[in-house]
Amino acid sequence: MVFRSFFTNFAADFLKVMEKKNIKAALFDLDGVVFDTEPQYTVFWGSQCREFHPEHPGLEHEIKGQTLVQIYDAWFSGELTEKQSLITERLNQFEQQMDYQYVAGFEEFISELRQQGIKTAVVTSSNKPKMQAVYASRPEFRSMFDAILTSEDFERSKPDPDCYLKAAERFGVEPKDCVVFEDSFNGLKSGRAAGMYVVGLATTNSAEAIKPYCDEVIANYVKD
């Protein structure tokens, strides 16, 4: 299997590593990996955090990459539990209006992978209502992937490896034959715990911050 150079920020020996590992499946998180949506979520959570946690400025940056359940458990439990339904309703409405722009170079990259026979999957903590908004905004989205796994398909959330192990099982491949593309700390830890090759995108956190949790760091998928 031959991999050409697709990336601006990949180390020089990346292609040799991929060939040596005989990668058979590429597994992608959604927000910050396929779509450049994290800045929009920062705006949303900024408004919610200022309303319900004015005593904690900048909280929206601390919760980046966490699942909704994790955010609720940590910051909207106790006397704020009753506000969860309101925030969920606001979030669902917000996601229906979001601008789903692909991370630079993604469309060409995913096309190249599939031409080379690599299985592709989205592995996201997003739920089915969110994905319906994605499909409405991007009708071509589903045709880009061999499988789309959402929160309804997993028993345990990232950083548990459950979601990525289920994706590998779906394709009938070994975890060591998979590469994971992630941007959040929980996602990177999930891919690493699954025993997969992990590529981190510096779209949500800095390259320096995510480097210890992945094998490679990239800015986007733009070709050299």
Side-chain angles (χ1 to χ4, degrees):
M1 183 178 299
V2 178
F3 284 83
R4 297 190 299 278
S5 179
F6 298 106
F7 310 106
T8 55
N9 289 356
F10 267 43
D13 62 350
F14 176 75
L15 303 181
K16 294 180 181 178
V17 172
M18 293 284 280
E19 185 173 2
K20 181 178 179 180
K21 287 182 172 292
N22 192 30
I23 296 298
K24 298 175 181 176
L27 313 177
F28 297 85
D29 180 42
L30 187 67
D31 294 296
V33 175
V34 176
F35 294 120
D36 190 17
T37 48
E38 287 302 331
Q40 296 175 73
Y41 278 113
T42 299
V43 170
F44 173 81
W45 284 111
S47 66
Q48 305 309 302
C49 292
R50 285 189 295 272
E51 179 176 349
F52 297 109
H53 283 289
E55 82 290 352
H56 200 120
L59 178 58
E60 65 271 22
H61 299 291
E62 295 182 30
I63 62 177
K64 278 186 176 182
Q66 296 182 18
T67 66
L68 189 58
V69 171
Q70 291 167 337
I71 293 172
Y72 282 166
D73 286 346
W75 297 101
F76 296 91
S77 56
E79 60 185 32
L80 286 178
T81 300
E82 64 181 18
K83 301 297 183 181
Q84 292 182 11
S85 60
L86 171 63
I87 297 171
T88 299
E89 181 180 354
R90 290 175 176 177
L91 179 59
N92 289 339
Q93 293 175 353
F94 182 82
E95 289 177 335
Q96 295 297 317
Q97 305 300 320
M98 283 177 64
D99 184 18
Y100 292 100
Q101 293 295 323
Y102 292 108
V103 171
F106 176 78
E107 292 172 277
E108 185 174 7
F109 173 60
I110 198 77
S111 177
E112 294 276 6
L113 283 183
R114 300 195 73 188
Q115 288 177 26
Q116 295 187 34
I118 304 300
K119 293 291 186 180
T120 59
V122 165
V123 183
T124 177
S125 298
S126 298
N127 57 22
K128 289 181 179 178
K130 156 74 174 292
M131 296 310 298
Q132 291 303 317
V134 170
Y135 302 150
S137 176
R138 292 289 184 179
E140 76 285 355
F141 181 81
R142 279 185 278 198
S143 66
M144 293 179 172
F145 302 94
D146 298 294
I148 296 175
L149 285 75
T150 64
S151 62
E152 292 85 356
D153 296 307
F154 316 132
E155 297 175 6
R156 296 174 296 279
S157 299
K158 303 171 185 178
D160 191 280
D162 179 56
C163 59
Y164 284 118
L165 293 176
K166 279 187 167 59
E169 183 180 358
R170 177 78 63 91
F171 289 144
V173 300
E174 295 295 325
K176 64 181 178 60
D177 297 329
C178 299
V179 57
V180 167
F181 291 84
E182 273 283 359
D183 65 314
S184 71
F185 292 112
N186 281 340
L188 294 166
K189 292 175 182 178
S190 176
R192 180 64 61 82
M196 300 178 179
Y197 196 83
V198 179
V199 176
L201 278 92
T203 52
T204 302
N205 301 287
S206 69
E208 293 76 13
I210 66 175
K211 186 176 180 180
Y213 302 95
C214 50
D215 299 290
E216 301 286 347
V217 179
I218 62 174
N220 52 47
Y221 306 95
V222 176
K223 286 184 178 181
D224 291 333

